[in-house]
Amino acid sequence: MTIHPMLALTDEVRSALAEARAVVALESTIISHGMPYPRNVAMAREVEDIVREGGAVPATIAVLDGIPRIGLSADELELLGSAPDVAKVSIRDLPHVVATRAHGATTVASTMRLAALAGIRVFVTGGLGGVHQGATDSMDESADLTELGRTDVAVVCAGVKSILDIGLTLERLETLGVPVVGYGTSDFPSFYSRTSDFSAPLRADDPATLAAMMRAKWDLGLEGGIVVANPVPEAEEMSRADIDGLIATALAECGQRGITGKDITPFLLGRIVELSGGRSLETNIALVRNNARLGAALAVAYAGAAPR
Ligand code: PSU
Ligand code: MN
């Protein structure tokens, strides 16, 4: 397949795609706005290694100097994780960051779109954006949801955090026609915890089933993504009682300080790390590692199953 001329691919990613080998896209907002430096950069490198160990090629996606990059060098990862002028770039922000030749870290939504442009169908992240608490007034819904409704990429995540309204997020995904699959679980996970108040709408217990779902969806012409909700490993999970208290405190502070829009998620994540004494960061890193292992296995299964 021909690669979009505005994208810059690393040699590793370019040859993997040319040979139809397994490739896993990774997002960059989680690096720049989701975790503190230098743990963020260490996490990003480690996750790339996990994907390689799983037999796939990692493609961390970001915009540098206005150029959408599919795959980053070690220096580029460092820049992204440490430079203060890296914008959080969702779909609506892509034209500006490209036109002004700026740096941008891509969210789930914009990473999905760039991955699909490059021909990558499997994407690993930590948590999805969704419908925010209080959205009936604020109308604050992440563009991650609308993107899942239209772009053909399977997204491996650890479910949805209760900084969001999990029930409304699941409702919106249903409306958008997005399959939401619990991996090895019938519970819908809530990022820091293996469960939530909600069941997973669908369940799969092995990568082959997920890969077959991807083929079935797109062969039927059903455009859009699939959410693979992979619960955090038991040893690393936080109790819902513990985390819900911290989230409530952080949400109240967010309201008091008048933080709105795209700044809400980074603020809440940072405050939860502080309020938990660093515990939530360890859980966050553990779940991303776990997602990278599954994402690699899924990309390998899909590459094996897919005549492209
Ligand atoms: N959840 C996390 N870490 C993150 C994000 C969400 O645990 O870094 C980021 C992702 O990039 C996600 C974005 O796509 O936040 C959603 O932001 P918004 O609600 O502004 O679309
Ligand atoms: Mn928003």
Side-chain angles (χ1 to χ4, degrees), residues 43-57:
M43 179 278 308
R45 292 218 179 101
E46 193 193 345
V47 162
E48 290 199 344
D49 290 342
I50 291 171
V51 169
R52 285 194 190 94
E53 282 159 23
V57 168

Side-chain angles (χ1 to χ4, degrees), residues 19-270:
E19 294 161 23
R21 283 188 281 122
V23 179
V24 172
L26 299 160
E27 71 152 306
S28 43
T29 293
I30 190 177
I31 304 171
S32 64
H33 291 70
M35 292 181 191
Y37 182 82
R39 289 299 296 280
N40 58 353
V41 174
M43 179 278 308
R45 292 218 179 101
E46 193 193 345
V47 162
E48 290 199 344
D49 290 342
I50 291 171
V51 169
R52 285 194 190 94
E53 282 159 23
V57 168
T60 303
I61 293 181
V63 180
L64 293 176
D65 301 311
I67 298 171
R69 317 264 167 170
I70 315 295
L72 298 180
S73 69
D75 287 350
E76 288 167 343
L77 270 185
E78 181 73 26
L79 169 77
L80 199 71
S82 58
D85 60 338
V86 176
K88 173 180 165 184
V89 171
S90 190
I91 292 292
R92 60 115 192 244
D93 308 298
L94 270 174
H96 189 263
V97 76
V98 169
T100 59
R101 304 201 174 122
H103 299 328
T106 48
T107 63
V108 168
S110 49
T111 305
M112 280 181 79
R113 187 75 70 96
L114 293 172
L117 271 184
I120 302 171
R121 298 285 167 222
V122 176
F123 165 29
V124 163
T125 185
L128 288 184
V131 181
H132 281 261
Q133 294 191 27
T136 45
D137 290 324
S138 68
M139 293 184 70
D140 188 355
E141 283 190 38
S142 177
D144 294 356
L145 298 182
T146 39
E147 198 58 30
L148 278 160
R150 59 172 289 174
T151 294
D152 301 358
V153 171
V155 181
V156 181
C157 65
V160 170
K161 269 186 230 67
S162 47
I163 63 174
L164 302 174
D165 188 318
I166 298 177
L168 292 186
T169 301
L170 289 170
E171 288 295 343
R172 184 61 91 205
L173 287 166
E174 180 187 5
T175 304
L176 291 163
V178 179
V180 175
V181 192
Y183 186 73
T185 180
S186 302
D187 292 309
F188 185 70
S190 57
F191 194 84
Y192 300 112
S193 309
R194 293 175 59 82
T195 60
S196 65
D197 290 334
F198 298 87
S199 298
L202 301 164
R203 173 176 179 147
D205 292 295
D206 51 69
T209 304
L210 294 171
M213 281 187 67
M214 292 164 67
R215 291 215 42 85
K217 184 169 203 247
W218 300 326
D219 284 353
L220 284 166
L222 301 173
E223 76 281 6
I226 295 177
V227 173
V228 179
N230 187 31
V232 62
E234 226 168 291
E236 324 276 357
E237 94 170 310
M238 295 177 73
S239 87
R240 281 168 63 194
D242 287 351
I243 193 69
D244 285 351
L246 304 183
I247 288 173
T249 306
L251 275 170
E253 288 181 14
C254 199
Q256 284 153 16
R257 297 196 198 186
I259 292 165
T260 56
K262 68 190 276 191
D263 299 328
I264 290 180
T265 302
F267 171 80
L268 291 174
L269 289 171

